[in-house]
Amino acid sequence: MEFAMTPDELLSTTRAVRKRLDLTRPVPRELIEECVDLATQAPTGRNRQRWHFLVVTDEEQRALVGDLFRRALETGGGRPVNERDLRRMYAHPGSMERISDGLRHLYDNIHRVPAFVIPAVEGRTDGASALDQSMTWGSILPAVWSFMLAARARGLGTVWTTAHAPLERELAAVLGVPYDEVMLAAFVPLAFTIGTDFRPARRIPREEVLHWERW
């Protein structure tokens, strides 16, 4: 099942979906498999194809993983934002309030999300050079974005989160992932959406992000 969208519509309306995830409708395995097949058409450094996608749909396993998601969120990990971050975050009144409200909704209902997709990549970058980091992350992030676009085209909603990161080792143990060899790159809740009428987000002006020839 796909929706008729132009490439521009697909690219400009695929975003974090939290409050409009349908928590009552299972996601068919074949749809997830289609999205993974498209995801693995993404660029990959040196054609190494080190990507993996762990899908969690079992109710008991989702409960365990969902509990880890909540506990990881409560750690409040991540670097503090700076003044420029804050200016951009609050450039459009109400946007951060909506995000916070959506995050609270996801926190409260994470155990009800019908599927979790946890993309992973072989090779850890802890303490690695910028080059090694860029090569590794550059081989998983495009694939995950392709997965999210494919999901959107099929009426599915996603939200990219890294909330699991403070408890990545514990999550790896629950999922049977060899932590010393594989990074869990993201935590992506997946569900059908309530409605499909998503709109482009309000962003800071192009002039603030586009640079010609020099910074």
Side-chain angles (χ1 to χ4, degrees):
M1 178 179 61
E2 296 189 31
F3 296 91
M5 286 185 285
T6 67
D8 285 1
E9 289 172 331
L10 182 64
L11 289 166
S12 64
T13 62
T14 300
R15 67 177 81 282
V17 180
R18 300 180 183 90
K19 297 188 72 173
R20 291 177 60 180
L21 294 174
D22 189 338
L23 305 176
T24 66
R25 186 178 174 189
V27 180
R29 179 178 179 137
E30 57 269 24
L31 281 188
I32 300 175
E33 291 175 341
E34 288 177 11
C35 293
V36 170
D37 287 345
L38 289 168
T40 56
Q41 290 297 311
T44 168
R46 299 180 184 174
N47 197 33
R48 288 179 293 183
Q49 303 179 64
R50 292 178 170 181
W51 42 45
H52 296 267
F53 292 83
L54 293 91
V55 180
V56 179
T57 58
D58 176 77
E59 185 174 359
E60 290 186 7
Q61 187 76 330
R62 281 191 290 117
L64 287 173
V65 173
D67 178 63
L68 272 168
F69 174 86
R70 287 196 185 97
R71 289 196 286 116
L73 266 181
E74 290 166 358
T75 67
R79 293 183 178 180
V81 296
N82 59 38
E83 290 185 9
R84 285 178 294 176
D85 293 330
L86 287 169
R87 179 182 61 79
R88 291 184 289 246
M89 290 163 64
Y90 290 92
H92 300 290
S95 59
M96 285 306 298
E97 288 78 6
R98 288 190 294 272
I99 290 172
S100 296
D101 187 43
L103 181 59
R104 167 54 62 178
H105 176 79
L106 188 63
Y107 177 94
D108 290 339
N109 293 281
I110 191 65
H111 61 289
R112 298 177 60 201
V113 176
F116 304 140
V117 178
I118 301 166
V121 61
E122 296 174 27
R124 299 203 63 83
T125 60
D126 313 67
S129 67
L131 174 61
D132 286 340
Q133 290 186 50
S134 64
M135 291 175 64
T136 301
W137 288 102
S139 289
I140 186 62
L141 299 187
V144 183
W145 179 233
S146 290
F147 178 93
M148 296 169 75
L149 291 170
R152 164 72 174 132
R154 287 160 175 75
L156 299 168
T158 59
V159 51
W160 173 287
T161 82
T162 53
H164 70 288
L167 298 181
E168 183 196 358
R169 186 185 289 273
E170 191 172 344
L171 179 57
V174 168
L175 298 172
V177 174
Y179 174 84
D180 292 334
E181 303 170 15
V182 175
M183 289 192 301
L184 303 180
F187 185 99
V188 182
L190 176 74
F192 283 100
T193 58
I194 300 171
T196 59
D197 55 331
F198 294 93
R199 296 176 295 177
R202 300 175 69 187
R203 300 298 196 204
I204 60 174
R206 179 202 306 142
E207 291 74 19
E208 293 193 31
V209 300
L210 178 61
H211 308 270
W212 291 96
E213 317 303 351
R214 296 174 62 85
W215 182 265

